[in-house]
Amino acid sequence: MLSTAPAPQSILHEIFGYDQFRGPQAAIVDHVVAGGDALVLMPTGGGKSLCYQIPAIARQRAGHGVTVVVSPLIALMHDQVGALHEAGVEAEFLNSTLSGEQANAVEKRMLRGEITLLYAAPERVTTPRFLAQLDSLYERGKLSLFAIDEAHCVSQWGHDFRPEYRALTVLHERYASVPRIALTATADAITREDILERLQLENARQFISSFDRPNIRYTIVEKKDATTQLLRFIEGEHEGEAGIVYCQSRKRVEDIAQTLSGQGIRALPYHAGLDGQVRQANQDRFLREDGIVMVATIAFGMGIDKPDVRFVAHLDMPKNIEGYYQETGRAGRDGLPAAAWMAYGLQDVVNQRRMIDESPAGEEFKQVMRGKLDALLALAEATDCRRVRLLGYFGEESTPCGNCDNCLHPPDIWDGTDAARKLLSTIYRVQQQSGISFGAGHVMDILRGKKTEKVAQFGHERLTTFGIGAEFSEAQLRGVLRQLIATGALSVDGQAFNTLKLTDGSRAVLKGETAVQLRESVSAPAESRRRKSATKSRPARHQRPGCEEAGSLRGRGAARRQRVATA
Ligand code: ADP
Ligand code: ZN
């Protein structure tokens, strides 16, 4: 006989020691306790675990049996099971850290109905052996609920695709009457659709929380000397505080960790290439000690529940907004002020773009990835509220937040349409004249009228575009190039020394049909300012309309420099 389930509120209070449900938790729990399917989108730290743990306990007590929790990471399982044990809940995990004997014991207990929550990796759940055990439970009405954690792993559009998740459709097909709850902290519209379709949750009720993390202040800066910028950021605003610095490559992780350590910052490296024990030791220190800065690749972070991470810095641009938001979400889980800081540059765009172009994936996939990269780049180049854009990306409307760099220090904007046209026509003429393409540096030299060796070697000072962009700083032109590459009006040939090539999308910009709006480079280096004044003596015939703009830019230099100082 099934008894009635205890009130979720009393489970929350008695087992977890909390007074109230947070946000949509109560509605989710009620829905799942009653046997409904659910898709839960909640930001990191929002309290997803209770959304299936409380139903699992309630349903177990009502005689429905065991809840199987699919989780992609061993560390995550261990944390959760450990915490449940402390709360006095019968929870176990099945994964490769158990000996055969231990695993057998867990399975036996599960079959006897002694376990409330069983955590397992997706590849384990879908083995014939495990399915046979689930069959046995199912036949006896003792299979209560499936919870699919980190559900975005099922989608190739998500930032953490795990093919094993695809096989989870077997759960629905084989155990049709068992409710399922899928949870994730990250899903834009396309990923969300994919989760619903792949896990056959089209009829599930969707619970979509606000993704806003108001205590996190977002700042995105243009990369100049990234290491120095990072040091300034940490020493100036987060001295002695715990933080995470994300880098693109293992080598860079090592270098930056060393540099920070050299400056007296307690920094540790973390990446998949490190010895397992070292990695574990570093992670433990980060969790236990105060004020450690973890320098890491994206291998670090999932399942790390450290409440007082005060900043997350990205030294290289991630692939997309989902990844960025997930990673920055690790800051300030305790609700106290925290910072998300990113430095990005032309090279990042070029690298990411090339990785997409050169990946063996199909064209449709590449198109989606390019679109996602563009969205992130648009966020980086944005002149309006970062949070409005971030939330907008996840389908949420909001008003300017007052707690991001753009809200706090509105950036100057300049119209890069003319510069974009000049850049594209230079690339066109160079290609026409020399029959080969060149990289960004050379193209900018031509446009700015620099008589370099290479310019002389190819006779590029004879091009009609030589020097017609003398009024633009290199930083400004780089900004224009980033936009052009990101929007597909220009492509980078990774097979040929990163040379720039015109695309079908170039025409609209060349004709002036597409406006190119840019944030003014906030930290033009002294070097480029000097070069700019050196070009003042250039003959008047090179001064085209754009120079008026350049004059007004110079006038705003003081304000710009002041912002650099506070950045
Ligand atoms: P997520 O999985 O969404 O990142 P967790 O489930 O790990 O979040 O919860 C984040 C933190 O919030 C945990 O420390 C958890 O104990 C706490 N928490 C969750 N729900 C509540 C609640 N209703 N009241 C108080 N604390 C809560
Ligand atoms: Zn804002």
Side-chain angles (χ1 to χ4, degrees), residues 12 16-23 25-26 40 42-54 76 80 83 149-150 183-185 213 303-305 307 329 333:
L12 176 75
F16 295 96
Y18 297 134
D19 295 334
Q20 290 174 15
F21 281 111
R22 247 194 220 159
Q25 279 177 334
V40 172
M42 209 184 258
T44 308
K48 281 184 290 302
S49 316
L50 290 188
C51 296
Y52 62 83
Q53 288 170 344
I54 290 182
L76 216 69
Q80 297 264 342
D149 206 4
E150 311 289 353
L183 312 101
T184 176
R213 298 287 307 282
I304 299 284
D305 187 6
R333 280 184 185 222

Side-chain angles (χ1 to χ4, degrees), residues 101-243:
E101 217 170 294
Q102 290 171 317
N104 281 340
V106 169
E107 287 168 358
K108 279 212 188 86
R109 290 192 57 215
M110 175 177 80
L111 289 170
R112 283 203 302 266
E114 294 170 11
I115 292 176
T116 303
L117 289 119
L118 180 94
Y119 285 75
E123 53 273 27
R124 165 82 64 150
V125 172
T126 50
T127 57
R129 177 189 166 89
F130 193 77
L131 289 174
Q133 289 167 347
L134 293 186
D135 288 347
S136 157
L137 288 166
Y138 187 59
E139 281 154 19
R140 290 180 279 137
K142 294 295 175 192
L143 191 50
S144 168
L145 171 68
F146 291 113
I148 302 166
D149 206 4
E150 311 289 353
H152 60 276
C153 292
V154 79
S155 171
Q156 60 173 335
W157 311 132
H159 56 89
D160 197 20
F161 176 43
R162 289 172 191 245
E164 315 87 75
Y165 264 68
R166 290 279 166 89
L168 293 173
T169 46
V170 69
L171 301 181
H172 171 61
E173 288 154 9
R174 207 155 158 147
Y175 314 112
S177 64
V178 177
R180 291 174 303 148
I181 173 173
L183 312 101
T184 176
T186 174
D188 60 356
I190 184 170
T191 312
R192 191 185 313 167
E193 286 308 309
D194 212 25
I195 294 173
L196 292 175
E197 194 187 319
R198 295 283 176 181
L199 294 178
Q200 293 166 17
L201 282 167
E202 288 94 342
N203 297 321
R205 190 157 151 207
Q206 297 185 31
F207 296 89
I208 299 168
S209 309
S210 170
F211 268 59
D212 192 12
R213 298 287 307 282
N215 60 318
I216 299 181
R217 175 175 298 179
Y218 297 92
T219 301
I220 302 179
V221 303
E222 202 180 321
K223 212 182 267 190
K224 297 293 173 197
D225 174 355
T227 314
T228 309
Q229 288 171 294
L230 176 70
L231 269 172
R232 226 188 295 160
F233 166 70
I234 296 179
E235 288 175 342
E237 298 172 37
H238 297 284
E239 201 168 356
E241 296 181 340

Side-chain angles (χ1 to χ4, degrees), residues 385-387 400-404 407:
C385 177
R386 309 274 191 201
R387 196 179 312 269
C401 72
N403 191 27
C404 72
C407 281

